[in-house]
C-alpha cells in the first residue's frame, strides 16, 4: 500500500470486462427488519440546522420519530408530523387546506425556519396526496423567507438511509448553476462536521480550493453545480441524488467509499486524478494522516483478525464496511446483507472484497436469522430490533445504526471505525457478571 | 389533519403489540409496510427485552401494491404459524394496510389454522395505543375466558369456607410505565392481606391462563386504560367484583386495601396498622416545609394524573394548578379531580396545547410524561416523570414501583429531587449576584457545571413562551423590570403574569415598582 494509486488500479484489474457483474448476489424476499426513510430525519435535522422536516403521515410515523429521537430532550424540535385523520380520508376536509393551515401555524411558531421539507410517508403515498404541488403552492406563499421542498421517506419506497438520498435529490434542482470556468469538486452525502473539515483541509493541501459539500450546514449555502462539476459520493446510498446531479451535467467519480485507509486513499485518488492533482502532491498531503491511521488500526487488527462477521441489511454501508473489515482488520465476512445493491456505485468496493463472500440483497429475516444462528459468527452487525435478542442467545453483536451516527469516514476516523467493531469484544472480556 | 410535534400515544396496533408481547403463546401477524418493524425496538431497546416481540410483519413495499398484497398476508400468516406454533394468533392491519383494505381477519378465517385466530379491528385514524391495547385484551379475554362462562343469569357459587379469596390482577402490559414492579408490589400486598392471586394478565399470561379468569371472585384493575373494558365484561359474565381504586400514593393504597378486604370479607385492621411507607414522615419532617404550596402542573394518562394530583395535594402539600390527561376516555374523571383540587383541567392530546398551558400557568414543578420534559426544558421548569410515554431511563434496573407503600417512597424521592433544595432556595432569594449560585444555574445538587452568568443588563430570564409574547404589549419601566429580576426565578414567571394581569384590569399602561408591589399585595390575599 505504498503506491498511492494501488487500490484503484487493483480495483480496475478485478473489474476487467464485465466488472463487478461477476460478484454473485443472492436476492431474498420476505419480512424486512429495517427502518423506513423517515428515520434519516434524525441526523438530517442536525446537519442542516435551519431546516424543518414536516412529515405528512399517520400516528405511526410520529411515533417512529419520537421513539427514535425522543430520548433527547428538545427545547425546539426541528421535525413534526401532520397526522392524517379520518376527516381527511373521508374527504370531509380538504387535505391541502389542512396542510396550509398547519404549515402557517408551524412557521409562525418557528420564524427561524428557512427551509421546510414536506416529507411523504406510506399513508400519504397510498392515498396519493400530491405533496409536490403542495410544496410548490406553499413555497410561493411563504417566499422569500421560507423555501418549501418535498420528498418521500415512506417505507414502501425507501429504506433507512435512502431517506437522505430522497432529501438530497430534492435539493439538487435547487442548487445554483455553476459559472463556467474552473472545474469544481462536490462531495455528496451527510458527513460529520469534523470529518468534513478534515477532508476540506486534505483537499486544500492537494491544491483543490473549489470543494463544496452537499448537504450544506445551512439552507442558504447550497453549492453550485454544472457540467464542469465532478462529484464524489461520500455515502453509498445516494442513487437518486447522483442521477439528478448527472442530469444537471455533473459527473460522478468512480471510487471506493472513504472507509478505512484503503477506501480513503482510493477516494482521494479519484478526486486527484479527476482534478489533475500531481501524484506527488496527493502523496504529500496524505502521507502523515495515512501513517496515523495505520498506527491507530494496528491494535484493533490484532484483536479482530480472523473473527467471522455477519452483516444484516440496514443502511447500504454493509459492502464497504465488509471490505474494510476484511482487508484492513483481517476479519472474515460470512454474509453481507444489504437492503439494495447499487452495482455501479459500489463497483470499486465490490472489486476489493475477498472472493467467495455471500452477498444478499433484500431480506427474509427469519431465514437470515436461521443462517446466522447456524454460522455462529463471532460478530453480528444488525439493527436494534435484533441485537439484544441475539446477545441473549450468546452471539456478540454490533448495532448497525451507530455506524450511520458516528464519524467513521477518512483517515483520522479509521481507528474509531475499527474500535466500533472491537468494542463489543472488549466488553465481553471485561464483564465478569 | 393535525400537527403533532410529539405524540402521547402510538397507533392502536402498538397497543395490540403490547398485549401480544406481554403474553406467552400468542403471536401477532400484522399487515404493515416495510419500516413498521421499528416498533420492535420499543420492546428490545426501551424495555430491554431479551426476545423479539412475537410479531410477524408482512412489510409490503411499493412494488407489492401492484400485485396481490392479500397473498402476501396469507403467506406471512402461514409461515408464522409453522415457525412459531403459537396457542393463539392475533391478526390485524397497521395504518397503511388499513387503507389498502385486505381484511386480515377474513383472509385468516378461510385458512383453517388449527389454533384460535382473533381478528383485530383497530381504526388507526381514529383510535390510539391504549385503546388498541384495551380492545385487544378484551377480545382475547372474551375468546378464552368466554369458553368457561356459565349460562347467563346463573349465580356465582359461594367460596368454600376453607378457601382463600382469589383475585385476578388485570392491566399490566409490556412497555407499561413501571408495570413490572407495580405487579410485584401489589401482589405482595395482596399476599399479606390473605388474598390469593389467580391470574395476572396480560403480563405473563398464556391463553390457557385467560381461560381460568372466571375462577377468581374479584378483578383488580390496576390500569383502567388497558383493562377496564375487559373487567366490566368479566364482571357481567362471571359475577365478579371489580376493585377500581388504583393504589398509587399512601392514601390511595389504604383505600385500595379497604376496598379489597371489604370485597373479600376480610379484616385488615392489623395490616393497615402495620403497613408503612416513609412518605408520611418524610413529608411531615420540617425539611419538607418549604414544599408547601409549591405550584405543580400535572399531565399524563388519566390513572397516573389523578393519582399524582391526590399525592401532590394531600401527601406533599403542593398546590395543584393544572391537571390534565391525553386519555379522552377518562376525561370526566380528570375534570372531577381537577375541580376537587381547584386546578384547571386540560383534556388534550395536542402537545402544543399542553405547552401553552404550562407557559401560562408558570408552575414551579411539572409532573408529566417524557413530552413534558421537553416543555419543562424549554421553559426552565423542574420536571419529574409520572406516566407513559416514557423513554429508556424510565425502565430502570432497580425496584421502582409507583404503587403501594414502597411506590409512595419512590414518588417522594422522584418528585422532590428536581426542586431547588431549601437552603439554596433561601439564599438565592437573598443574594442574587453570586457567580456560582444564580438564577440561570441549575440547582447545584443536580451537579451540572454552573453556567456563566449573563451580563448585568441581560439578567432577564425565561425565554418568552411561544404563543403571544405578552410582555411586549405592556410597558414595564426599567426599574420595575430590575425589581422583578430580584424575585426568585421559580416564582418570577407567575409574578410577571400576575402583575400584567393586575395592570391590564386597571388600565395601567406603565408598570412601575409601585404596580409590582400593588399587584403582590393584591394577589397575596
Amino acid at each position: 500500500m505504498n503506491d498511492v494509486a494501488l487500490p484503484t488500479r487493483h480495483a480496475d484489474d478485478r473489474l476487467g470486462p464485465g466488472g463487478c457483474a461477476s460478484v454473485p448476489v443472492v436476492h431474498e424476499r420476505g419480512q424486512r427488519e429495517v427502518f423506513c426513510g423517515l428515520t434519516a430525519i434524525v441526523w438530517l435535522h442536525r446537519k442542516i440546522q435551519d431546516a424543518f422536516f414536516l412529515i405528512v403521515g399517520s400516528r405511526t410515523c410520529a411515533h417512529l420519530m419520537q421513539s427514535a429521537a425522543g430520548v433527547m430532550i428538545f427545547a425546539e424540535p426541528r421535525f413534526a408530523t401532520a397526522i392524517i385523520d379520518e376527516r381527511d380520508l373521508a374527504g370531509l376536509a380538504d387535505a391541502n387546506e389542512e396542510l396550509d393551515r398547519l404549515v402557517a401555524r408551524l412557521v409562525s411558531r418557528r420564524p427561524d425556519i428557512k427551509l421546510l421539507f414536506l416529507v411523504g410517508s406510506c399513508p400519504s403515498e397510498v392515498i396519493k396526496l400530491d405533496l409536490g404541488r403542495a410544496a410548490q403552492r406553499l413555497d410561493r406563499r411563504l417566499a422569500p423567507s421560507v423555501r418549501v421542498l418535498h420528498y418521500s421517506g415512506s417505507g414502501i419506497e425507501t429504506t433507512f438511509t435512502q431517506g437522505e438520498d430522497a432529501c438530497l435529490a430534492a435539493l439538487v434542482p435547487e442548487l445554483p448553476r455553476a459559472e463556467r470556468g474552473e472545474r469544481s469538486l462536490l462531495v455528496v452525502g451527510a458527513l460529520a462536521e469534523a470529518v468534513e473539515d478534515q477532508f476540506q483541509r486534505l483537499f486544500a493541501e492537494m491544491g483543490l480550493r473549489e470543494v463544496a459539500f452537499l448537504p450544506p450546514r445551512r439552507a442558504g449555502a447550497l453549492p453550485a453545480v454544472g457540467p464542469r462539476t465532478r462529484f464524489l459520493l461520500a455515502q453509498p446510498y445516494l442513487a437518486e441524488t447522483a442521477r439528478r446531479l448527472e442530469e444537471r451535467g455533473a459527473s460522478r467519480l468512480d471510487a471506493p467509499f472513504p472507509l478505512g485507509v484503503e477506501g480513503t486513499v482510493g477516494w482521494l485518488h479519484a478526486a486527484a486524478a479527476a482534478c489533475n492533482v500531481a501524484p506527488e502532491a496527493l502523496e504529500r498531503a496524505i502521507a502523515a494522516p495515512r501513517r496515523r491511521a495505520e498506527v491507530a488500526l494496528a491494535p484493533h487488527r490484532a484483536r479482530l483478525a480472523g473473527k467471522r462477521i455477519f452483516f444484516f441489511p440496514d443502511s447500504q454501508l454493509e459492502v464497504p464496511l465488509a471490505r474494510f473489515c476484511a482487508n484492513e482488520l483481517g476479519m472474515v465476512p460470512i454474509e453481507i446483507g444489504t437492503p439494495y445493491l447499487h452495482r455501479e456505485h459500489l463497483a470499486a468496493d465490490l472489486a476489493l472484497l475477498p472472493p467467495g463472500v455471500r452477498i444478499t440483497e433484500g431480506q427474509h429475516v427469519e431465514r437470515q436469522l436461521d443462517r446466522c444462528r447456524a454460522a455462529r459468527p463471532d460478530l453480528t452487525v444488525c439493527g436494534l430490533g435484533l441485537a439484544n435478542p441475539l446477545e441473549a442467545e450468546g452471539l456478540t453483536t454490533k448495532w448497525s445504526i451507530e455506524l450511520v451516527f458516528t464519524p467513521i469516514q477518512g483517515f483520522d476516523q479509521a481507528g474509531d471505525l475499527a474500535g466500533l467493531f472491537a468494542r463489543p469484544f472488549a466488553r465481553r472480556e471485561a464483564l465478569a457478571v | 389533519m393535525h400537527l403533532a410535534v410529539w405524540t402521547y400515544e402510538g397507533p392502536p396496533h402498538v397497543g395490540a403489540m403490547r398485549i401480544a408481547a406481554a403474553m406467552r403463546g400468542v403471536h401477532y401477524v400484522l399487515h404493515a409496510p416495510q419500516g413498521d418493524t421499528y416498533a420492535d425496538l420499543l420492546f428490545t431497546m426501551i424495555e430491554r427485552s431479551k426476545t423479539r416481540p412475537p410479531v410477524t410483519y408482512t412489510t409490503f413495499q411499493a412494488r407489492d401494491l401492484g400485485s396481490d398484497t392479500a397473498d402476501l398476508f396469507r403467506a406471512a400468516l402461514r409461515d408464522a404459524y409453522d415457525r412459531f406454533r403459537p396457542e393463539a394468533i392475533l391478526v390485524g392491519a397497521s395504518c397503511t394496510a388499513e387503507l389498502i383494505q385486505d381484511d386480515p381477519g377474513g383472509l385468516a378465517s378461510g385458512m383453517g389454522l388449527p389454533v384460535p385466530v382473533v381478528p383485530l379491528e383497530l381504526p388507526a385514524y381514529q383510535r390510539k395505543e391504549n385503546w388498541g391495547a384495551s380492545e385487544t385484551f378484551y377480545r382475547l379475554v372474551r375468546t378464552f375466558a368466554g369458553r368457561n362462562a356459565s349460562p347467563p343469569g346463573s349465580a356465582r357459587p359461594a367460596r368454600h369456607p376453607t378457601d382463600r379469596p382469589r383475585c385476578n390482577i388485570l392491566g399490566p402490559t409490556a412497555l407499561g410505565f413501571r408495570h413490572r414492579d407495580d405487579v410485584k408490589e401489589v401482589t405482595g400486598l395482596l399476599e399479606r392481606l390473605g388474598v390469593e392471586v389467580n391470574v395476572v394478565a396480560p403480563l405473563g399470561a398464556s391463553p390457557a391462563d385467560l381461560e381460568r379468569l372466571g375462577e377468581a371472585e374479584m378483578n383488580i384493575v390496576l390500569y383502567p386504560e388497558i383493562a377496564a373494558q375487559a373487567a366490566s365484561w368479566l364482571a357481567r359474565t362471571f359475577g365478579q367484583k371489580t376493585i377500581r381504586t388504583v393504589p398509587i400514593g399512601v392514601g390511595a393504597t389504604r383505600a385500595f386495601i379497604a376496598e379489597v378486604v371489604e370485597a373479600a370479607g376480610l379484616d385488615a385492621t392489623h395490616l393497615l396498622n402495620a403497613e408503612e411507607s416513609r412518605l408520611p414522615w418524610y413529608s411531615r419532617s420540617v425539611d419538607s416545609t418549604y414544599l408547601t404550596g409549591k405550584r405543580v402542573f400535572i399531565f399524563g394518562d388519566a390513572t397516573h394524573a389523578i393519582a399524582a394530583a391526590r399525592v401532590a395535594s394531600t401527601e406533599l402539600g403542593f398546590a395543584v394548578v393544572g391537571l390534565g390527561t391525553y386519555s379522552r376516555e377518562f376525561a370526566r374523571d380528570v375534570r372531577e379531580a381537577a375541580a376537587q383540587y381547584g386546578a384547571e383541567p386540560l383534556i388534550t392530546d395536542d402537545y402544543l396545547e399542553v405547552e401553552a398551558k404550562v407557559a401560562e400557568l408558570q408552575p414551579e414543578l411539572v409532573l408529566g410524561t417524557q413530552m413534558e420534559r421537553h416543555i419543562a426544558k424549554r421553559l426552565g421548569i423542574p420536571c419529574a416523570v409520572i406516566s407513559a410515554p416514557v423513554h429508556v431511563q424510565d425502565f430502570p434496573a432497580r425496584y421502582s414501583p409507583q404503587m403501594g407503600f414502597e411506590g409512595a417512597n419512590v414518588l417522594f424521592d422522584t418528585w422532590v429531587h428536581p426542586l431547588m433544595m431549601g437552603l439554596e432556595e433561601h439564599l438565592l432569594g437573598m443574594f442574587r449576584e453570586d457567580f456560582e449560585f444564580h438564577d440561570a444555574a441549575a440547582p447545584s445538587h443536580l451537579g451540572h457545571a454552573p453556567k456563566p452568568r449573563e451580563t448585568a443588563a441581560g439578567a432577564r430570564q425565561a425565554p418568552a413562551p411561544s404563543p403571544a409574547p405578552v410582555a411586549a404589549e405592556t410597558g414595564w419601566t426599567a426599574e420595575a423590570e430590575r425589581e422583578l429580576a430580584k424575585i426568585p426565578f421559580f416564582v418570577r414567571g407567575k409574578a410577571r403574569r400576575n402583575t400584567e394581569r393586575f395592570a391590564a384590569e386597571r388600565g395601567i399602561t406603565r408598570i412601575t415598582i409601585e404596580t409590582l408591589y400593588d399587584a403582590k399585595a393584591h394577589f397575596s390575599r
Side-chain angles (χ1 to χ4, degrees), chain A residues 234-288:
Chain A
Q235 302 284 7
Y237 44 73
L238 297 171
E240 182 63 15
T241 308
R243 200 183 60 76
R244 290 211 187 168
L245 284 168
E246 282 163 355
E247 274 175 9
R248 294 201 54 183
S251 46
R252 186 181 64 84
L253 302 178
D254 264 322
F257 288 92
L259 300 172
V261 174
E262 181 184 44
T264 308
V265 169
W267 193 73
L268 292 171
H269 180 267
C275 301
N276 301 323
V277 174
E280 307 77 53
L282 172 61
E283 182 55 34
R284 253 198 321 277
I286 67 174

